[in-house]
């Protein structure tokens, strides 16, 4: 299927690895030029070089912490011209217990997983509205639909973003701009390894055993891949997805046991 977005420009945040990279690769495959961001320059440059060589699109790599005002300013400045597609993403907050977290911990989580995507939308939506076309996909989490007890910071911050998107998506839709959220269940990335590592240490089992136990909780009996996730993102950014507005789309291999 031709996604109809060849020649457009996407800003993909936190995209040198994992789910962000999956989105960047799928958009590049559809012919989209990229502004690609992550903090670590080495992995970012390697991913950018790989995508340029594989897809022949323009990739502007910007090493910056997207959760800071200075980082966002650097990324937006490097983008220069119009940005048609925005994929927001950042690292997830650390696990812990509800009683552990201080006000500062909450502020950090809110900054990373709620206020950063909101600030990027505020910066880029006006241009999309003026050009009468735009796509925003926020990478959030399955924790929006079903809380993950040890990830209370994520549960809280992402719920705030979800509320913002629910209203805003319906305000910008008349201008040809869609905003949707993609909710990853467990995907095979460094983040999943880090969480499995924590479980392995806590329970005195191997990393492989921790992963096997978690895979057994998913109806497809495996973790999702970044490529599968990226393909869903690229479709949401396509010309075919103009009637999909303000949705929270769960990609979890059936793990969320719910009828609706
Ligand atoms: P990942 O494999 O650890 O990759 C994270 C990517 O984000 C890397 O490219 C990293 O590069 C970049 N990054 C992290 N913090 C950043 C920052 N402050 N500024 C700019 N770039 C940043 O993570 P992932 O599994 O793809 O997860 C992506 C998001 O989905 C996270 O918010 C995670 O909580 C959420 N999620 C993941 C899963 C899963 O199973 N994987 C499930 C539910 C939710 P640098 O470190 O070099 O910056």
């Amino acid at each position: 299927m031709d996604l109809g977005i060849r020649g457009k420009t996407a800003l993909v945040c936190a995209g040198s690895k994992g789910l962000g990279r999956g989105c960047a690769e799928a958009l590049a495959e559809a012919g989209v030029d990229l502004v690609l961001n992550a903090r670590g320059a080495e992995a970012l440059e390697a991913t950018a070089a790989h995508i340029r060589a594989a897809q022949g699109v323009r990739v502007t790599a910007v090493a910056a912490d997207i959760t800071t005002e200075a980082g966002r300013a650097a990324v937006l400045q490097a983008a220069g011209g119009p940005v048609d597609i925005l994929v927001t993403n950042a690292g997830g907050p650390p696990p812990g217990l509800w009683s552990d977290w201080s006000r500062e911990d909450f502020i950090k989580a809110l900054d990373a997983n709620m206020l950063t995507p909101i600030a990027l939308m505020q910066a880029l939506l006006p241009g999309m509205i003026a050009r009468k076309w735009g796509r925003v996909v926020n990478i959030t989490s399955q924790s929006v639909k079903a809380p993950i007890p040890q990830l209370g910071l994520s549960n809280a911050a992402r719920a705030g973003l979800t509320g913002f998107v629910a209203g805003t998506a319906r305000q910008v839709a008349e201008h040809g701009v869609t905003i949707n959220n993609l909710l990853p269940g467990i995907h095979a990335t460094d983040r999943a390894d880090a969480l499995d590592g924590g479980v392995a240490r806590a329970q005195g089992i191997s990393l492989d055993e921790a992963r096997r136990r978690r895979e057994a909780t998913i109806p497809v009996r495996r973790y999702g891949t970044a490529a599968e996730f990226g393909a869903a993102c690229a479709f949401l950014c396509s010309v075919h997805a103009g009637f999909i507005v303000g949705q929270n789309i769960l990609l979890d291999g059936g793990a969320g046991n719910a009828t609706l």
Side-chain angles (χ1 to χ4, degrees):
M1 181 192 283
D2 180 357
L3 296 185
I5 48 178
R6 183 167 298 281
K8 294 205 180 284
T9 297
L11 166 54
V12 180
C13 305
S16 66
K17 298 177 189 168
L19 304 181
R21 176 173 178 159
C23 296
E25 290 191 335
L27 287 167
E29 199 180 330
V32 173
D33 294 322
L34 301 174
V35 178
L36 191 64
N37 154 259
R39 291 165 305 181
E42 202 178 323
L44 178 66
E45 291 297 345
T47 299
H50 173 86
I51 293 175
R52 278 183 209 112
Q55 305 299 346
V57 295
R58 271 198 304 271
V59 184
T60 305
V62 192
D65 184 340
I66 200 68
T67 68
T68 66
E69 216 171 308
R72 287 189 293 277
V75 169
L76 291 170
Q77 193 184 356
V83 173
D84 309 295
I85 296 168
L86 166 65
V87 179
T88 76
N89 186 28
L97 194 61
W98 61 271
S99 50
D100 292 345
W101 298 309
S102 65
R103 175 180 163 77
E104 284 63 41
D105 295 324
F106 278 101
I107 298 293
K108 209 169 160 197
L110 291 171
D111 260 340
N113 300 117
M114 177 185 169
L115 299 175
T116 289
I118 289 174
L120 290 166
M121 281 185 263
Q122 286 176 325
L124 294 177
L125 283 173
M128 295 179 186
I129 289 168
R131 292 187 300 278
K132 293 280 171 206
W133 197 92
R135 296 283 184 264
V136 179
V137 173
N138 300 296
I139 300 179
T140 67
S141 172
Q142 63 182 351
S143 69
V144 169
K145 292 235 183 203
I148 303 171
Q150 67 276 20
L151 290 178
L153 292 172
S154 171
N155 299 339
R158 297 188 199 279
L161 173 63
T162 305
F164 176 84
V165 166
T168 307
R170 288 162 174 90
Q171 289 174 294
V172 302
E174 67 178 300
H175 303 291
V177 178
T178 70
I179 312 176
N180 292 285
N181 302 322
L182 273 183
L183 283 52
I186 304 165
H187 284 72
T189 67
D190 290 355
R191 166 84 171 165
D193 281 348
L195 292 174
D196 287 344
V199 170
R201 279 190 299 280
Q203 299 184 3
I205 57 176
S206 68
L207 184 63
D208 279 352
E209 181 56 23
R211 177 182 266 228
R212 263 195 301 277
R213 288 183 191 180
R214 208 144 72 114
E215 281 173 339
T217 67
I218 307 172
V220 299
R221 304 285 184 253
R222 65 171 177 84
Y223 287 5
T225 69
E228 289 170 314
F229 190 90
C233 175
F235 179 76
L236 278 181
C237 296
S238 76
V239 293
H240 310 295
F243 209 54
I244 305 177
V245 170
Q247 297 302 300
N248 291 282
I249 298 167
L250 188 59
L251 301 178
D252 72 343
N257 192 30
T259 304
L260 285 175

